[in-house]
Amino acid sequence: MGLVAVVLATAAILGILNAPEGLSSDSRLSTRLTTPGGASAIRAALSHYGVNVTERRRSWYDLGRFRASDSAVMLAVLRPAKPLAVQESRALRDWVSGGGSLLLAGTTNVTGCFGYAVTTTMTKERVLRAGALVDSIPDDVLPPPRARLTHFHHLADDTTNSPLSRLCEPRTASAVEVLWLRNKDTIALRLRYRSGGSVLIIADGDLLSNQDLRRTGAGPRVVGWLLQDHLRALVVDEFHQGYGNTSSLSGAALAWAGRDPGGWLAIQLVAAALLALLIAAIRFGPAVPSIVRRRRSPLEHLDALAAGLERGRAAGTAIRLLVGGLKRRLAVTPAKSGEAADRWLDELALRIQTENGREAIKRLHQQLDKSATGADVVRAANALEDVWETLKAPTPQPR
């Protein structure tokens, strides 16, 4: 017990020392995260209004095989942790061109396919300060925007965005609806196309974060933008947030063990335990003789049964049942119910020609004529077996 206590205490200390710190600082805009920077609140808010929010845990490469048949189903790319490939951006652009709906929040490399770029309006220090001041903002006031949308034609320096515009040719919208304009900076807008498709672009992805949705006026504003076109389902991209189909608990554990000192310690402990198990499996010295277990004979089982019958005061009944069983096996016609067992044994003795058989019937008859015990049941069974063997033996022919 002392060794077990030491092992548990060591594991607890290692867990405290190697526990991940700053879990609430995870800034991925994922609907799976309940941290201040996560986006689980938008899932809860839309579900309250009957919108089915689901996840997409694979890339957008196969999106071209599907046709946008319902504009009430919207795809969402929320500030992905890893950028989308050019082919995926083109697939999303073609989805909108085919009549689908799309939501882009924060910095993505998909906005270029629609002629816009996201640029920040705050330094890193100001963004952190604005996030810290969210608690002091009234519930009906939007937080200060941290990014804006700029059209390619309005960029003074086009060198950064022009390569993307060449790889993913922008599609010109038939109508542009500005949803939030502050100090001549476009923060959110909606693009509509003649095919029926639409794109909702929100430059500041933090507007969809749990912190802004719950503590500022961003919640009603963003939810209103999403429900404007009678949204019925929202498919959120979680693949580029790091939640692909290949991710699993075992894979995450192995990845942690490979990069963390505590993981290396756990691997070494497991290896040491396996080595100790292998050493313990090797047998040194001569083999230990095993215990020879003898199987019980049928007579031992019969003795146990007879003892049970004697304790239950059913030994006489058991003997009569034994005789009745022999009677049924030998009778050509069913015996009469009132016929006595001793009378039948006398008739059977007249038909047996061997001395051993008549002697066995005599012994069986004796067990019927007295108060039977467990030993009498055993003797009756042996006598009945002798009678049966005598009857099975061929009758000797007279010379």
Side-chain angles (χ1 to χ4, degrees), residues 2-16:
L3 180 59
V4 173
V6 171
V7 171
L8 292 178
T10 304
I13 294 173
L14 290 176
I16 294 174

Side-chain angles (χ1 to χ4, degrees), residues 51 62 75 93 103 106 144 148 154 197 216 291 293 318-319 327 329 367 377 381 389 398:
V51 178
D62 61 342
L75 308 182
R93 178 200 61 186
L103 167 63
R148 67 170 181 263
H154 299 160
T216 69
I291 300 175
R293 300 186 181 275
I319 294 176
K327 188 177 179 181
R329 295 169 67 181
Q367 308 307 321
V377 175
E389 294 294 334

Side-chain angles (χ1 to χ4, degrees), residues 121-133 146:
T121 59
M122 289 187 178
T123 62
K124 183 177 180 180
E125 291 76 11
R126 292 182 61 192
V127 169
L128 294 176
R129 191 180 304 114
L133 294 176
R146 285 142 287 199

Side-chain angles (χ1 to χ4, degrees), residues 9-54:
T10 304
I13 294 173
L14 290 176
I16 294 174
L17 295 178
N18 295 279
E21 298 180 357
L23 184 62
S24 61
S25 63
D26 193 340
S27 60
R28 289 181 297 172
L29 200 60
S30 170
T31 56
R32 290 189 168 197
L33 297 178
T34 58
T35 56
S40 62
I42 192 66
R43 176 196 291 268
L46 292 177
S47 300
H48 177 73
Y49 290 99
V51 178
N52 183 23
V53 182
T54 59

Side-chain angles (χ1 to χ4, degrees), residues 18-243:
N18 295 279
E21 298 180 357
L23 184 62
S24 61
S25 63
D26 193 340
S27 60
R28 289 181 297 172
L29 200 60
S30 170
T31 56
R32 290 189 168 197
L33 297 178
T34 58
T35 56
S40 62
I42 192 66
R43 176 196 291 268
L46 292 177
S47 300
H48 177 73
Y49 290 99
V51 178
N52 183 23
V53 182
T54 59
E55 299 177 356
R56 181 181 174 91
R57 298 176 57 187
R58 62 181 188 274
S59 63
W60 299 104
Y61 287 110
D62 61 342
L63 188 61
R65 295 184 301 176
F66 301 96
R67 184 175 181 180
S69 58
D70 191 353
S71 60
V73 178
M74 177 180 286
L75 308 182
V77 180
L78 310 180
R79 197 176 60 203
K82 55 182 180 180
L84 279 69
V86 176
Q87 292 82 356
E88 293 179 286
S89 300
R90 291 175 179 172
L92 290 171
R93 178 200 61 186
D94 296 339
W95 168 269
V96 174
S97 299
S101 299
L102 178 64
L103 167 63
L104 301 175
T107 304
T108 68
N109 52 350
V110 187
T111 54
C113 297
F114 302 99
Y116 286 86
V118 177
T119 56
T120 58
T121 59
M122 289 187 178
T123 62
K124 183 177 180 180
E125 291 76 11
R126 292 182 61 192
V127 169
L128 294 176
R129 191 180 304 114
L133 294 176
V134 166
D135 293 336
S136 62
I137 297 176
D139 294 342
D140 57 345
V141 177
L142 287 171
R146 285 142 287 199
R148 67 170 181 263
L149 290 172
T150 308
H151 198 275
F152 282 158
H153 298 298
H154 299 160
L155 290 176
D157 185 7
D158 195 28
T159 58
T160 303
N161 299 280
S162 57
L164 180 60
S165 64
R166 289 196 300 266
L167 293 174
C168 185
E169 182 181 357
R171 297 293 169 85
T172 304
S174 59
V176 178
E177 178 186 358
V178 178
L179 302 175
W180 185 15
L181 185 66
R182 179 163 180 171
N183 297 332
K184 298 183 179 181
D185 290 335
T186 303
I187 312 302
L189 56 81
R190 191 190 304 271
L191 306 178
R192 298 190 182 276
Y193 294 84
R194 292 186 177 88
S195 61
S198 65
V199 184
L200 174 59
I201 305 178
I202 303 175
D204 188 1
D206 288 334
L207 292 176
L208 279 78
S209 65
N210 298 328
Q211 187 176 21
D212 284 7
L213 283 176
R214 291 171 176 170
R215 300 180 181 178
T216 69
R221 187 72 63 91
V222 173
V223 172
W225 293 339
L226 292 173
L227 298 178
Q228 185 176 352
D229 290 342
H230 306 286
L231 182 66
R232 191 180 71 253
L234 182 69
V235 183
V236 183
D237 177 21
E238 293 290 351
F239 177 81
H240 294 90
Q241 302 289 359
Y243 300 106

